[in-house]
Amino acid sequence: MLSKKLQEAINEQINKEFFSEFLYLSMAAYCQQNDLDGVANYYLVQAQEEHFHAMKFFNFVIDKGGKVTLKSIDAPKTNFSSIIDTFEETQKHEQLVTKSINDLMALATKEDDYAVVSFLKWFIDEQVEEEATVTKLLGKLNIVDGKGEGLLMLDRELAARVFTPPPAA
Ligand code: FEO
């Protein structure tokens, strides 16, 4: 059984993961409207990952005999000033998600719920990767000043990204 407090916190996290999916879909739309189909593909795959994260929490709550409570999802930002702006927003957002996962881990640890602690370890590692990826891409974008031939090269590179669910999923 999950404590009421942990169940509520995990349900909040489900909402945050679905919001992340919406945010990245919004960024994909912005990229497509600006002819950056490769970067749009990056964000579409990112949105699929976020859906996967939400469902991983969703299934965990069910497996623990808890109750999933879905809430309305806030509208994501739809206006971005540049491609660098979208990646800066992505970096900020992922930092917030990391904090949220860390807070969940702190709560699970405080409550001695080792099943939740064990489950959350995957997300702790995932956030390291998520932040590292966006930071690297933002760095590359800054090198090419977010435009010109450098941006087109990055766009081609990101067109190859595909969503691969982890094997244990
Ligand atoms: Fe679900 Fe991008 O963290």
Side-chain angles (χ1 to χ4, degrees):
M1 274 296 285
L2 287 168
S3 74
K4 194 168 176 290
K5 213 168 166 184
L6 261 177
Q7 179 171 285
E8 271 170 20
I10 296 175
N11 273 304
E12 280 300 321
Q13 191 63 36
I14 291 174
N15 186 271
K16 285 176 192 169
E17 300 291 346
F18 280 129
F19 173 77
S20 302
E21 181 182 4
F22 263 36
L23 178 64
Y24 294 143
L25 283 176
S26 183
M27 289 178 176
Y30 168 80
C31 294
Q32 278 170 336
Q33 283 148 24
N34 286 279
D35 303 320
L36 290 168
D37 294 340
V39 190
N41 176 62
Y42 167 84
Y43 276 116
L44 288 173
V45 171
Q46 197 60 33
Q48 282 179 285
E49 282 201 1
E50 299 303 346
H51 187 85
F52 174 82
H53 293 169
M55 292 310 296
K56 199 170 166 77
F57 277 110
F58 180 110
N59 290 324
F60 180 75
V61 173
I62 305 284
D63 286 349
K64 289 280 288 174
K67 184 175 189 298
V68 169
T69 310
L70 297 177
K71 298 177 185 166
S72 40
I73 302 164
D74 289 341
K77 184 175 170 174
T78 52
N79 292 319
F80 303 94
S81 57
S82 68
I83 196 67
I84 288 183
D85 182 34
T86 66
F87 277 87
E88 282 174 346
E89 289 277 337
T90 303
Q91 187 182 46
K92 255 191 285 171
H93 182 68
E94 287 302 331
Q95 286 165 349
L96 281 178
V97 174
T98 298
K99 172 158 186 353
S100 180
I101 299 281
N102 287 348
D103 289 348
L104 260 182
M105 184 61 115
L107 179 61
T109 305
K110 193 172 146 216
E111 293 197 1
D112 292 333
D113 192 327
Y114 302 115
V116 178
V117 167
S118 173
F119 170 77
L120 286 174
K121 279 184 182 153
W122 185 89
F123 283 94
I124 299 273
D125 295 341
E126 175 75 357
Q127 281 312 117
V128 173
E129 195 190 308
E130 296 256 295
E131 281 198 47
T133 304
V134 68
T135 299
K136 178 65 75 182
L137 286 172
L138 183 56
K140 286 184 181 184
L141 272 170
N142 279 319
I143 289 171
V144 300
D145 204 16
K147 59 188 181 198
E149 211 163 308
L151 177 57
L152 286 180
M153 277 175 68
L154 195 62
D155 188 61
R156 271 198 295 275
E157 183 185 320
L158 294 178
R161 189 183 187 208
V162 286
F163 175 62
T164 319

